[in-house]
C-alpha cells in the first residue's frame, strides 16, 4: 500500500508533517509513505533527524495552497501544488490514500474534482470523532462540507457514518441519531421534520431517533447526523471546551479523548478513495495518526463497502 | 412592583419554587412576590419553614400544565393552570413580570397569546447567558423559540440581545456576532449568507461579523445570534460539558458560571412584558435568581426600550 501525505499542509509544515511521517514509518510495516511536497525541505529535515530518505518515496512539487486561499481557484491555478498533485496521484492509483492538514476546502474540491463522488452519493461529508464519557466514541457528520443539506443527504450521511463506524472503528450495528432539539419525532426545524420519517424508513441503518446537544457525549448513539453548519459549530465548540479544560490544567481521560492529535484527522466520506483532512495545527503525533487512519481506511476497504452500499 | 411566580413549574415544584420565593423575599425590598399555584401546598411548605404567608400574595389555581404536554392545547384546555392564570394576571397588569420553570412551550404560547408580541417584532426569542473565560458574559439567542428563522428575524435578535445586554447586564455598546462556520462574510449556510449583509447595514446594532463555535467563550462578542435550532443545540451541548466537568470534580470559577442556577432562567424577549422561563430542574437558588432577574427586567424598563426601538 502506498499512502500519500501532503508534507506542505498545516501551520507547522513541512517540519511537523515530515516528523509525523517518520513516526508513522516506525509503526507501519510493509507499506510505503509517499511524501508529496518540497523534496529538498523534506530531505533537510530528515537529515537533521538522521533518518534515511530511503524510507520514503518522494513526489516533488513546487507550489503550495495556503490556508486562506479560495479552494476552487487555488486547485485550478496551482496544478503543481502538493494538494493538486496528491489528488492526481490518487486518481491514477499511484497512491491508495491521500491526507493533508492543509486547506480543507481545497481538499474537498480536490476530492470531488479528481477522484470524484461515489455514484449514488449526493454529497460527500466530513466526519469527526465524538468521545463518550463512558469510553469509546461516536462519529459526527457532516462537520463542514455542506452548510446546507437536503433530507435525502442526511439519510446518506447516516449510511456513510454507519459504514465508517462499523468498518474503521469496529462498532457493531451502529446506532444512528438525528441531531435535533427534542426527543420527539415532531420536534425540530423543517430539515429535521422532513428527515426524520426518511431515516425511520431507511432499512440499511439502525436509526434510533433524535439526539439533543446533551446526548453527544453520552451513550445515546454512535453516529450523529446533521447539516455541516450545525456540525461545524458543534465541533468547534467542543474543541474550544477541550482547550479550556487543558488550559485550566484539568487532566482527564475523557477530555484527553477530545484531542484531535489522537485521531489524526477527519475523513471525507463519499468519494472514490480514502481522503483525510487534518487539523491546521497538526503536530507530528496528529500527522502520524492521520497516516495510520489512512491505512485503516484502505485496509477495511471502506470505499468499496460504501460503493456497494450505494449501488 | 408585583412579581408573579408560577409555584407549580419545574421538576421539584412546589417545594423548590416556594423555598426559592422565600430566598428571593429576603433580598427583594419593597416589592411583592405573587405566588401562583396551589395555595394550600404553598402555605404548608411555608409553615414547615416557619415563614409567614403574609410575606407573599397568593393566587390560587387548580390545574397544572405538565412538562410533556402539548403547549397550545394545554394553555387552551387548562385555563386555571398556574401558567394560564399567570399570563392572565400579567396581561391585566396585576403583576409586572411572570416567570416559571415549567413547560417552555406553554410559556412561549402564553406570552404570544396573552401579552402578545411587541409591534414590529417578527418573532420573540429565548435568550441564554454565555460565560466568558476572561470574566463577564455574553448572550446567545435564540435558544429554542424558533427552529427556523428568516434573515430579518436574526437581525431583530441582534437588536433584542443588544438591548438586553445593555439594560439588564450593563454591557456598553454590545458587540453582535452572527454564529457561523467561518470568519469571512462569504462563509456559511444560506441563512447566514442572506443575514450577514442585513446585519452589516443595521444602524442600531454594533455588528462585528461572524463568530465560530470556538469564539463563544472568548471575548469575541457580547451577543451571538442564530436560529433556535442551532442555539438550542449549543446550549444543551455547553450545559452537558458543564455537567461533565462537575461530575469529574473540576471546580473552577469559569465553569461555575455555566451554572444555570446563578442566572435563574432564560428571558423571552420581544413580548409586551418581562417573561422568564426557568430550567426544569430549577432548585431554590435558581428560582430566587429568576425572581431577581424579573425585577431587573422590570426596573430597567427593558420592554419599554424594546418597544421604542421597534417603533
Amino acid at each position: 500500500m502506498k499512502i500519500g501525505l501532503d508534507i506542505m499542509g498545516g501551520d507547522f509544515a513541512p517540519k511537523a508533517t515530515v516528523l509525523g511521517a517518520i513516526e508513522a514509518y516506525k509503526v507501519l510495516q510493509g507499506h510505503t509513505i509517499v511524501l508529496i511536497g518540497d523534496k529538498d525541505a523534506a530531505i533537510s529535515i530528515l537529515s537533521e533527524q538522521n533518518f534515511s530518505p530511503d524510507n520514503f518515496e518522494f513526489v516533488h512539487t513546487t507550489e503550495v495552497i495556503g490556508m486562506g486561499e479560495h479552494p476552487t481557484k487555488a486547485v485550478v491555478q496551482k496544478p503543481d501544488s502538493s494538494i493538486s498533485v496528491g489528488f492526481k496521484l490518487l486518481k491514477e492509483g499511484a497512491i491508495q490514500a491521500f491526507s493533508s492538514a492543509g486547506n480543507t476546502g481545497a481538499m474537498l474540491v480536490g476530492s470531488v474534482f479528481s477522484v470524484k463522488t461515489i455514484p449514488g452519493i449526493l454529497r460527500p461529508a466530513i466526519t469527526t470523532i465524538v468521545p463518550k464519557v463512558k469510553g469509546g466514541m461516536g462519529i459526527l457528520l457532516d462537520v463542514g462540507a455542506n452548510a446546507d443539506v437536503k433530507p435525502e443527504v442526511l439519510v446518506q450521511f447516516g449510511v456513510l457514518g454507519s459504514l465508517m463506524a462499523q468498518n474503521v472503528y469496529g462498532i457493531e450495528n451502529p446506532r444512528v441519531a438525528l441531531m435535533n432539539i427534542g426527543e420527539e419525532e415532531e420536534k425540530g426545524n423543517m430539515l429535521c421534520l422532513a428527515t426524520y420519517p426518511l431515516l425511520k424508513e431507511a432499512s440499511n441503518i439502525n436509526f434510533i431517533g433524535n439526539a439533543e446537544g446533551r446526548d453527544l457525549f453520552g451513550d445515546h448513539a454512535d453516529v450523529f447526523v446533521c447539516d455541516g453548519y450545525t456540525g461545524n459549530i458543534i465541533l468547534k465548540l467542543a474543541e474550544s471546551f477541550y482547550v479550556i479544560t487543558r488550559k485550566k490544567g484539568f487532566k482527564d481521560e475523557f477530555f484527553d479523548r477530545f484531542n484531535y492529535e489522537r485521531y489524526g484527522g477527519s475523513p471525507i466520506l463519499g468519494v472514490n478513495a480514502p481522503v483525510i483532512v487534518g487539523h491546521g495545527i497538526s503536530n507530528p503525533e496528529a500527522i502520524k495518526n492521520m497516516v495510520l487512519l489512512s491505512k485503516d481506511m484502505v485496509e477495511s476497504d471502506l470505499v468499496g463497502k460504501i460503493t456497494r452500499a450505494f449501488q
Side-chain angles (χ1 to χ4, degrees), chain A:
Chain A
M1 182 193 312
K2 293 195 178 184
I3 300 170
L5 173 67
D6 169 16
I7 58 167
M8 312 311 283
D11 298 345
F12 309 116
K15 179 102 186 203
T17 45
V18 174
L19 295 183
I22 294 174
E23 294 309 313
Y25 173 85
K26 291 177 183 168
V27 287
L28 273 179
Q29 301 194 332
H31 303 300
T32 306
I33 305 172
V34 181
L35 305 186
I36 304 157
D38 183 337
K39 185 175 176 179
D40 299 335
I43 299 276
S44 142
I45 295 163
L46 289 169
S47 78
E48 271 171 37
Q49 305 292 320
N50 293 317
F51 199 80
S52 168
D54 297 344
N55 294 322
F56 299 107
E57 284 187 15
F58 295 86
V59 176
H60 182 67
T61 62
T62 58
E63 294 176 302
V64 176
I65 294 178
M67 294 302 251
E69 285 192 62
H70 187 282
T72 317
K73 280 186 199 162
V75 167
V76 172
Q77 291 169 359
K78 291 185 170 173
D80 201 42
S81 64
S82 49
I83 288 181
S84 300
V85 171
F87 278 112
K88 191 170 155 281
L89 298 169
L90 190 64
K91 189 184 175 183
E92 292 166 352
I95 54 178
Q96 279 73 57
F98 180 51
S99 63
S100 170
N103 187 313
T104 302
M107 287 296 285
L108 256 176
V109 169
S111 300
V112 174
F113 281 12
S114 69
V115 292
K116 296 199 165 49
T117 304
I118 291 170
I121 300 258
L122 298 164
R123 304 293 297 263
I126 303 181
T127 65
T128 195
I129 287 297
V130 181
K132 293 180 183 178
V133 174
K134 292 190 175 172
M137 60 205 180
I139 290 173
L140 172 71
L141 73 166
D142 175 35
V143 297
N146 315 277
D148 293 283
V149 297
K150 292 180 180 163
E152 297 75 21
V153 173
L154 285 182
V155 177
Q156 291 198 345
F157 290 175
V159 179
L160 290 173
S162 295
L163 288 168
M164 174 86 187
Q166 234 169 326
N167 293 290
V168 179
Y169 297 116
I171 301 168
E172 279 308 308
N173 195 25
R175 296 158 296 171
V176 177
L178 175 64
M179 282 307 302
N180 207 336
I181 58 173
E183 290 170 21
E184 305 85 355
E185 177 163 357
E186 61 278 8
K187 286 285 175 77
N189 59 7
M190 288 184 289
L191 174 63
C192 288
L193 293 175
T195 304
Y196 194 106
L198 302 184
L199 282 167
K200 221 165 63 171
E201 279 165 26
S203 56
N204 50 351
I205 54 170
N206 176 18
F207 178 58
I208 54 118
N210 291 328
E212 298 183 76
R214 66 167 70 97
D215 299 321
L216 211 61
F217 307 123
D219 194 33
H220 189 85
D222 304 298
V223 177
F224 299 88
V225 298
C226 61
D227 62 89
Y229 169 83
T230 307
N232 188 271
I233 289 177
I234 290 174
L235 171 64
K236 288 177 179 163
L237 183 64
E239 231 174 42
S240 76
F241 230 108
Y242 163 67
V243 170
I244 292 168
T245 55
R246 248 174 88 144
K247 278 192 185 153
K248 292 192 171 281
F250 294 154
K251 284 293 285 177
D252 177 83
E253 185 277 329
F254 167 67
F255 291 121
D256 283 349
R257 282 188 285 126
F258 272 87
N259 192 343
Y260 76 95
E261 295 166 16
R262 287 200 177 194
Y263 306 108
S266 296
I268 298 179
L269 297 186
V271 294
N272 280 306
V275 176
I276 304 176
V277 188
H279 203 300
I281 56 168
S282 285
N283 62 10
E285 175 73 8
I287 299 294
K288 177 190 97 177
N289 287 320
M290 186 160 73
V291 172
L292 297 183
L293 180 56
S294 294
K295 186 200 67 141
D296 290 346
M297 286 176 73
V298 177
E299 279 186 346
S300 65
D301 187 27
L302 179 61
V303 171
K305 281 166 182 154
I306 293 173
T307 304
R308 287 189 286 282
F310 283 88
Q311 261 166 0

